[in-house]
Amino acid sequence: MKVKMLSRNPGDYIRERKEDLHRMPRNPDPELHPFEEAREYTRALNATKLERVFAKPFVGNLQGHTDGVSCLAKHPKRLSCLVSGACDGEIRVWDLSSRTCTSAFAAHAGFVRGVCVTPSGESLLSVGDDSIVKRWSLAAQHSSEPTHTILGKAPFLSISHHIRQPLFATASNEVTIWDEERSEPVRAFTWGCDTVSSVRFNPVEVSVCSSTGSDRSIVLYDIRRDAPLRKVVLEMKSNALAWNPREAFNFTVANEDGNLYTFDMRKLDFPLNVHADHVSAVMDVDYSPTGREFVTSSYDKTIRIYPHQSGHSREVYHTKRMQRVFSVCWSADSKFIASGSDEMNIRLWKAKAWEKLGPIAARQKAAIHESELLKERYKHHPKIKRIQRHRHVPRLIHAESRKKKEMLARRKRKEENVRRHTRPSKRTLRRPERKKHVVDTVE
């Protein structure tokens, strides 16, 4: 007679300590779990709904300016340090951890057009409408006198510092390269433009910089050469420019037509992507340190966050009091966003509106990670996709976006009608949306 004995090892299911979790035996055979996908979909749907419930992006505001905030700059070595410039010529240095102003001084007569912190983090450079470049010491907290002053020939509109060398570039009626210790420019570039509105150094290819001009042009420069490299002309003027910190050849420009255009500097014939959704001119753009997203500020009183390869924003931030947003800045830890607007306030936002601030337990962190994986897996299901994309916006922006869609649809319908009533021998090829906005490219 054959007897089968049941044998169980207590070590397989008994806890060693009372703090441990109970071990649950589970058979991974899919035939024994026919409703596993349905359960995962339900959990993904609930996680998506909870994401919108806990979406509270506003962190706080910094008050103290007596005029609109025109520019922002982050410190390269201190996460809690932020520098702001205002339209009345005042510059303030902020401590974000305590939300207090550590230093304030009257820097320029007129608008402060640009500020940047040197790579060492010891000094600050500023430019304004008074045609003066000033360097300020950040070591002395209450210093109100500049350590170095450079007098220019025209009002400066932007400034950008080299990521390694003691060089910086300014934008006025030309792009000028300066040495920190000299009062005369090292090199000057011009290419048929009366006013250069912004200039930015590439953080990866450090010898390359680019600028946007009033003649609707975007120009690339190499500071090792005596002449500009390339030039592309768009349909409307660009206000700001930002380089991708992880993809050396890609940059994004903020345009007056409410769109943003991402270009590859090796091929400027057409943009890699067109980023829509704003209903008014885009004033500023800044990339996340990860290079996967960028944030924009617009004249339509909103801030939008875009994935770098997506044509539409994943998030839009607005408040009732916030007016036209002139400048925006992403923190060095990629978790927060600062915005400066026309009503004298600097606002701090979370990069992920639903993210919890403060310490998180290990079990909660694992649960959040699992929820993110489920949302990513089922993001194309219609109900989950609708909840993820839906955002409440002000009535004016909703009406303007609807009007913009109707205009684009009419334009497209007219082009198709013209093609339909034209002889096949005289029909022109359809132009992709990316190529419609580029007027000319000059080498």
Side-chain angles (χ1 to χ4, degrees):
M1 181 179 178
K2 188 176 181 181
V3 179
K4 294 182 179 180
M5 300 292 294
L6 294 177
S7 176
R8 292 176 179 169
N9 184 9
D12 294 338
Y13 56 90
I14 294 180
R15 298 184 297 177
E16 295 181 359
R17 298 176 302 173
K18 63 179 182 179
E19 292 85 4
D20 297 340
L21 298 177
H22 288 280
R23 296 181 183 179
M24 302 296 293
R26 183 176 182 276
N27 192 336
D29 186 4
E31 294 183 356
L32 300 178
H33 303 278
F35 301 108
E36 182 177 13
E37 186 172 354
R39 286 195 297 268
E40 284 186 349
Y41 171 75
T42 303
R43 291 167 61 189
L45 181 62
N46 292 337
T48 306
K49 292 179 179 178
L50 288 175
E51 171 189 307
R52 302 317 311 154
V53 169
F54 293 116
K56 297 177 181 178
F58 184 68
V59 178
N61 67 328
L62 306 175
Q63 297 181 352
H65 279 293
T66 56
D67 207 338
V69 182
S70 58
C71 53
L72 295 173
K74 57 190 173 186
H75 199 282
K77 294 188 176 182
R78 288 160 50 192
L79 286 175
S80 61
C81 184
L82 181 71
V83 182
S84 63
C87 297
D88 58 355
E90 185 185 36
I91 291 179
R92 286 178 175 261
V93 182
W94 303 88
D95 183 9
L96 298 182
S97 58
S98 60
R99 301 182 195 175
T100 57
C101 176
T102 60
S103 182
F105 41 86
H108 296 275
F111 281 43
V112 179
R113 293 295 183 178
V115 290
C116 67
V117 183
T118 59
S120 63
E122 298 177 355
S123 57
L124 164 71
L125 294 170
S126 66
V127 295
D129 285 346
D130 53 4
S131 308
I132 299 177
V133 182
K134 294 184 180 181
R135 185 172 66 187
W136 311 83
S137 175
L138 289 178
Q141 293 294 327
H142 301 285
S143 175
S144 59
E145 295 297 328
T147 59
H148 187 52
T149 301
I150 300 174
L151 183 61
K153 297 179 181 179
F156 296 107
L157 299 179
S158 180
I159 186 170
S160 179
H161 202 285
H162 196 283
I163 197 169
R164 295 174 188 168
Q165 301 178 14
L167 301 174
F168 63 92
T170 58
S172 56
N173 57 352
E174 60 184 6
V175 174
T176 313
I177 309 298
W178 305 81
D179 192 305
E180 288 186 12
E181 303 301 330
R182 298 178 60 181
S183 297
E184 294 296 327
V186 178
R187 190 170 280 106
F189 299 102
T190 181
W191 195 347
C193 179
D194 295 335
T195 304
V196 182
S197 57
S198 67
V199 62
R200 286 292 180 271
F201 268 106
N202 191 327
V204 184
E205 293 289 337
V206 293
S207 298
V208 177
C209 66
S210 57
S211 68
T212 61
S214 59
D215 61 346
R216 305 170 295 156
S217 65
I218 304 167
V219 187
L220 297 176
Y221 310 91
D222 191 334
I223 62 175
R224 297 166 296 188
R225 298 180 56 176
D226 295 330
L229 296 176
R230 295 175 183 173
K231 177 179 179 180
V232 58
V233 181
L234 302 182
E235 287 184 333
M236 297 188 71
K237 184 174 77 74
S238 298
N239 293 319
L241 182 145
W243 289 91
N244 192 322
R246 289 293 178 264
E247 297 177 1
F249 303 108
N250 295 350
F251 62 91
T252 301
V253 293
N255 202 268
E256 283 280 341
D257 61 1
N259 295 335
L260 295 106
Y261 304 97
T262 299
F263 285 91
D264 188 330
M265 71 182 225
R266 297 167 295 184
K267 188 175 179 61
L268 297 176
D269 298 334
F270 56 88
L272 297 176
N273 208 338
V274 180
H275 312 276
D277 282 348
H278 279 296
V279 297
S280 189
V282 187
M283 304 303 296
D284 198 9
V285 57
D286 190 30
Y287 264 94
S288 164
T290 61
R292 313 307 297 173
E293 293 180 327
F294 60 86
V295 61
T296 64
S297 60
S298 174
Y299 219 67
D300 60 9
K301 309 175 186 179
T302 62
I303 301 166
R304 290 184 181 268
I305 301 175
Y306 293 81
H308 75 296
Q309 291 182 339
S310 174
H312 296 278
S313 61
R314 72 161 177 86
E315 199 66 75
V316 54
Y317 295 157
H318 56 87
T319 64
K320 289 184 178 180
R321 293 185 59 190
M322 187 166 68
Q323 298 301 310
R324 296 165 295 190
V325 190
F326 290 139
S327 56
V328 71
C329 181
W330 208 305
S331 67
D333 61 352
S334 73
K335 290 187 177 181
F336 298 96
I337 294 168
S339 65
S341 50
D342 201 15
E343 85 295 343
M344 305 175 289
N345 273 347
I346 300 173
R347 290 179 172 83
L348 300 178
W349 312 82
K350 290 188 286 187
K352 290 185 177 180
W354 61 92
E355 190 175 30
K356 182 181 178 182
L357 300 180
I360 302 176
R363 291 180 62 181
Q364 188 175 5
K365 190 179 296 186
I368 293 174
H369 179 66
E370 185 179 359
S371 299
E372 294 292 333
L373 294 178
L374 288 174
K375 287 187 291 185
E376 180 66 23
R377 181 176 180 181
Y378 292 96
K379 66 180 180 179
H380 297 294
H381 284 245
K383 189 176 290 188
I384 293 179
K385 187 176 181 180
R386 182 184 63 83
I387 296 173
Q388 283 183 338
R389 292 181 58 184
H390 180 72
R391 296 292 184 275
H392 288 286
V393 294
R395 184 178 299 175
L396 177 63
I397 296 176
H398 180 72
E400 289 295 327
S401 60
R402 188 174 179 180
K403 187 186 301 182
K404 189 175 181 180
K405 289 179 182 177
E406 290 179 358
M407 290 171 59
L408 294 176
R410 288 179 183 177
R411 191 178 305 168
K412 188 175 181 180
R413 188 164 59 248
K414 181 179 179 180
E415 291 176 358
E416 290 300 321
N417 289 339
V418 171
R419 284 180 54 83
R420 191 180 299 116
H421 295 85
T422 305
R423 293 180 181 178
S425 59
K426 294 185 178 181
R427 287 179 185 173
T428 58
L429 296 176
R430 291 185 178 90
R431 292 187 68 193
E433 185 67 26
R434 295 183 299 170
K435 295 185 178 181
K436 291 180 181 179
H437 305 280
V438 177
V439 177
D440 191 15
T441 305
V442 184
E443 293 288 339

